[in-house]
Amino acid sequence: MSKTILVYAETRDGKLRQVALETLGAARLIAGDGDSIRILVAGSNITEAVSALKPYGGEIIYTVEHDDLEHYNPDAYMAAIEAVLGVAKPDAVLFGHTAIGRDLAPLVAASMDAGQISDVTAIENNSGEAVFTRPLYAGKAFEKRVFVNGPWVVTVRPNNIPAAEAVEGVDTSIEDVAFPAPSLRSVIKDVVRKTTGKIDLSEAKIVVSGGRGVKSAEGFKPLEELAELLGGAVGASRGACDAGYCDYALQIGQTGKVVTPEIYIACGISGAIQHLAGMSQSRVIIAINKDPEAPIFKVADYGIVGDLFDIVPLLTQEFRKVLVS
Amino acid sequence: MKIVVLLKQTFDTEEKIEIENGSIAEDGVKFVINPYDEYAVEEAVKLRDEHGGSVTLLSVGPDRTSEALRTALAMGADDAVLISDERIPDDEYAVSKVLHAYLAKETPDLILGGNFSVDRGSGQVAIRLAGLLGIAHAGSITKLTISGNKAEVHRDAEGDLEVLEVQLPAIFTAQQGLNEPRYPSLPGIMKAKKKPFQTLSLDDLGLSEDDIRPATKQSDLSLPPERSAGRILKGEPAEVAHELVTLLRTESKVI
């Protein structure tokens, strides 16, 4: 029986997020012949995101546009999604495992009486059966999971599933779905943007991370400069967060975020087991630490024993030379 | 104010994971309150002290979960309910149905839980419950103030801070930074031994195995490939910086 797969294409400030294309990529991995992939875009200003999506195909793009969708609000976004569920009647709904996806997917699963597999890092298609790989204990172990009953809800971790590629000669129709304007049980009073213009940690291809060795909030400066040059994000160990050098939002580890960038640069981080769980799936790990015995060196592809305050600015210089030429 | 805290017992985050006969070995493992749930317990106790009412701990898990519940009682919660039944499958769909069966009769004003559990890490159960109970929720909160039938919360949204006003009853999940959980005091530990502790089975909740059939199941379990130590670059700082960037281009080909 053919399935309908609905992809929630996440936007941020009216722009399509990279994770949206990865979620669409996940749908293509799941879909068999005759299955229909459809896309949902919701927001207050989505014209740009919808045109950005069009070359990637999908049978129908459902759009829900309304001022109430300017900021994320679970009641408003659930109402938008339920309106689309009503017309699309999907067998599976896919989200990115982002702040919004993590919040919406379980609500959608409860509403559809569906199972959910969260934070998926890989998908195999075993002769028609979709098998989902996901981390346990933040990546100290991995499980494969399958659905035994439909419908399905899935969230995919950013940076892990190959993004969908554009399809030539696609004929995607766009259907506007009316927003039912529900009464809202929560109201946004204020949004303090701390990350404007910055790349989200979980989506960053390069992460420059600081630990206790950074010594102060000020000590993060050279790390920020390196991250900015590389188009990456700054992270931290629990030690640095507990010491008050940075916000907990930056914490990487078993508590905190799990990241899987192309390059992870650990500066002044000793490498406690909880931290290693959160970053050891990165492609290339670089460790800079004064202590040659620090456990972080056991997982690092390249280690430099030395003072991060000497090394990091020099690294920034070297990268700058390479990136300019 | 009637407060329920959803609590899960998890491995201490210091623990290494080993697999034996296709499942994760628990021998000699130290168990703790899921770190995020610990923030929820602390917040609940503080709110009860400020506004009056009661804090009930609610958990689904094996018998060993009672240790975590006793610890949370020693932190100041009033009573504990452990739903323990081997027929409950390891699937968030089923677990949230079990919790819903209990909570639907209790009508708490406030339900607090952790942002996610550090073992399965799926972050589903609390938010599923908001959907099943038909009440408001906010996930990943770092501040909570109650006045009347409204809560003001600060929510961490990928590093940005959202300030929300939410109608009660509601479910909130705790993020790091919400508070600093207290250690149980000795008198607290003594008192905890005498606090009401209820253990329930599926039958007590009027549920059958059919009501909570899992929607997903595990088909494989493995450890990640171990990373081996690479090489230590030696020399003057300027030399090693140059060498590293060269290696990233020529050897790892990541830039």
Side-chain angles (χ1 to χ4, degrees):
Chain A
M1 217 178 69
S2 66
K3 296 192 294 286
T4 299
I5 302 169
L6 182 66
V7 171
Y8 179 84
E10 190 171 328
T11 62
R12 192 173 167 89
D13 301 329
K15 291 194 167 54
L16 196 66
R17 283 183 72 163
Q18 172 67 16
V19 70
L21 295 177
E22 294 169 5
T23 315
L24 182 57
R28 297 221 174 117
L29 291 173
I30 293 168
D33 288 342
D35 288 350
S36 170
I37 296 176
R38 302 177 189 187
I39 302 170
L40 156 57
V41 188
S44 61
N45 182 8
I46 55 175
T47 321
E48 190 187 330
V50 173
S51 0
L53 256 177
K54 271 197 97 174
Y56 293 90
E59 198 176 311
I60 303 170
I61 299 177
Y62 297 103
T63 57
V64 190
E65 199 163 18
H66 194 277
D67 285 347
D68 281 0
L69 299 170
E70 186 186 351
H71 292 296
Y72 175 70
N73 175 302
D75 287 340
Y77 271 73
M78 251 325 263
I81 292 178
E82 289 199 305
V84 173
L85 295 180
V87 284
K89 302 196 167 44
D91 303 286
V93 187
L94 276 53
F95 294 87
H97 196 70
T98 60
I100 287 178
R102 285 197 306 265
D103 208 62
L104 273 177
L107 283 181
V108 171
S111 157
M112 295 173 76
D113 199 30
Q116 181 183 332
I117 301 182
S118 305
D119 201 15
V120 167
T121 56
I123 300 171
E124 296 155 67
N125 198 324
N126 271 357
S127 46
E129 187 187 38
V131 181
F132 300 87
T133 301
R134 63 179 305 277
L136 297 173
Y137 303 89
K140 289 178 183 172
F142 282 83
E143 67 169 349
K144 289 185 179 175
R145 229 169 158 82
V146 294
F147 285 95
V148 287
N149 278 309
W152 302 359
V153 173
V154 175
T155 64
V156 298
R157 175 183 291 188
N159 258 355
N160 281 261
I161 310 278
E165 287 179 17
V167 192
E168 269 182 56
V170 285
D171 182 25
T172 305
S173 63
I174 295 178
E175 274 186 31
D176 282 319
V177 177
F179 181 66
S183 63
L184 305 178
R185 294 170 297 186
S186 57
V187 187
I188 298 224
K189 298 287 216 189
D190 196 12
V191 180
V192 184
R193 299 301 290 264
K194 300 189 200 167
T195 57
T196 306
K198 289 187 192 167
I199 291 163
D200 179 58
L201 199 47
S202 60
E203 273 189 294
K205 299 281 181 212
I206 297 172
V207 174
V208 185
S209 224
R212 280 198 186 272
V214 169
K215 290 184 188 148
S216 65
E218 191 69 9
F220 267 97
K221 275 257 165 66
L223 278 59
E224 283 160 10
E225 282 166 19
L226 177 56
E228 194 184 333
L229 174 75
L230 297 173
V234 171
S237 71
R238 175 160 199 166
C241 298
D242 281 348
Y245 304 161
C246 62
D247 204 275
Y248 278 112
L250 300 189
Q251 186 176 323
I252 290 165
Q254 198 172 353
T255 49
K257 294 191 171 70
V258 177
V259 295
T260 45
E262 291 281 301
I263 308 179
Y264 188 86
I265 309 177
C267 311
I269 292 177
S270 65
I273 183 170
Q274 297 93 330
H275 186 74
L276 299 184
M279 46 62 81
S280 58
Q281 302 299 312
S282 305
R283 187 154 158 226
V284 174
I285 297 172
I286 298 159
I288 302 163
N289 202 300
K290 273 185 181 168
D291 174 10
E293 302 300 320
I296 189 80
F297 287 120
K298 295 207 175 79
V299 300
D301 299 281
Y302 304 111
I304 298 175
V305 180
D307 188 336
L308 72 96
F309 294 106
D310 294 334
I311 310 282
V312 174
L314 288 166
L315 266 182
T316 308
Q317 264 182 36
E318 287 294 328
F319 275 116
R320 188 170 286 128
K321 281 188 216 161
V322 170
L323 296 174
V324 165
S325 63
Chain B
M1 190 165 52
K2 190 167 167 176
I3 308 171
V4 171
V5 178
L6 307 171
L7 185 150
K8 186 176 186 184
Q9 188 192 39
T10 57
F11 278 34
D12 190 316
T13 55
E14 293 274 350
E15 294 290 344
K16 279 196 176 151
I17 302 300
E18 282 167 34
I19 296 175
E20 266 175 34
N21 305 322
S23 43
I24 289 174
E26 295 194 354
D27 296 346
V29 162
K30 186 184 170 204
F31 286 94
V32 296
I33 300 173
N34 176 42
Y36 290 97
D37 301 352
E38 215 175 355
Y39 300 119
V41 174
E42 173 66 32
E43 199 66 14
V45 169
K46 271 178 20 191
L47 286 171
R48 191 246 359 244
D49 290 347
E50 192 183 334
H51 298 276
S54 63
V55 176
T56 298
L57 307 167
L58 177 61
S59 191
V60 171
D63 291 341
R64 59 169 160 75
T65 310
S66 58
E67 293 162 34
L69 290 169
R70 289 284 175 205
T71 306
L73 287 171
M75 288 170 71
D78 297 291
D79 63 310
V81 178
L82 172 59
I83 306 171
S84 188
D85 198 311
E86 284 179 356
R87 294 171 291 175
I88 300 172
D90 197 9
D91 175 42
E92 293 84 358
Y93 170 84
V95 171
S96 44
K97 288 207 161 179
V98 172
L99 290 167
H100 177 241
Y102 176 84
L103 287 167
K105 293 177 204 157
E106 291 295 314
T107 61
D109 303 298
L110 185 63
I111 301 174
L112 297 175
N115 188 19
F116 59 85
S117 63
V118 296
D119 49 8
R120 298 199 48 76
S122 75
Q124 288 183 36
V125 170
I127 298 176
R128 275 180 179 272
L129 281 170
L132 293 172
L133 292 163
I135 61 176
H137 86 278
S140 194
I141 66 161
T142 54
K143 192 177 177 198
L144 171 58
T145 321
I146 304 279
S147 54
N149 65 344
K150 285 201 168 78
E152 188 179 277
V153 303
H154 289 187
R155 177 175 128 80
D156 165 37
E158 281 171 8
D160 287 336
L161 171 81
E162 293 174 1
V163 182
L164 304 171
E165 189 180 87
V166 185
Q167 247 168 52
L168 299 182
I171 295 188
F172 300 118
T173 68
Q175 168 67 309
Q176 271 176 316
L178 179 62
N179 54 44
E180 199 56 57
R182 71 192 70 189
Y183 288 101
S185 64
L186 192 58
I189 293 167
M190 299 311 288
K191 269 193 226 161
K193 291 180 180 163
K194 293 183 192 132
K195 286 180 177 172
F197 192 110
Q198 219 184 338
T199 306
L200 302 176
S201 68
L202 285 184
D203 308 300
D204 296 325
L205 295 169
L207 290 172
S208 72
E209 224 165 327
D210 267 358
D211 296 325
I212 53 156
R213 274 197 306 231
T216 70
K217 68 167 191 210
Q218 190 176 75
S219 63
D220 185 53
L221 181 65
S222 63
L223 297 180
E226 249 183 75
R227 272 192 107 100
S228 46
R231 67 173 106 160
I232 300 286
L233 309 181
K234 294 209 167 89
E236 288 301 307
E239 287 166 28
V240 291
H242 179 74
E243 190 186 354
L244 175 62
V245 173
T246 309
L247 285 168
L248 289 174
R249 290 192 94 179
T250 56
E251 193 178 76
S252 322
K253 298 190 167 62
V254 283
I255 54 164

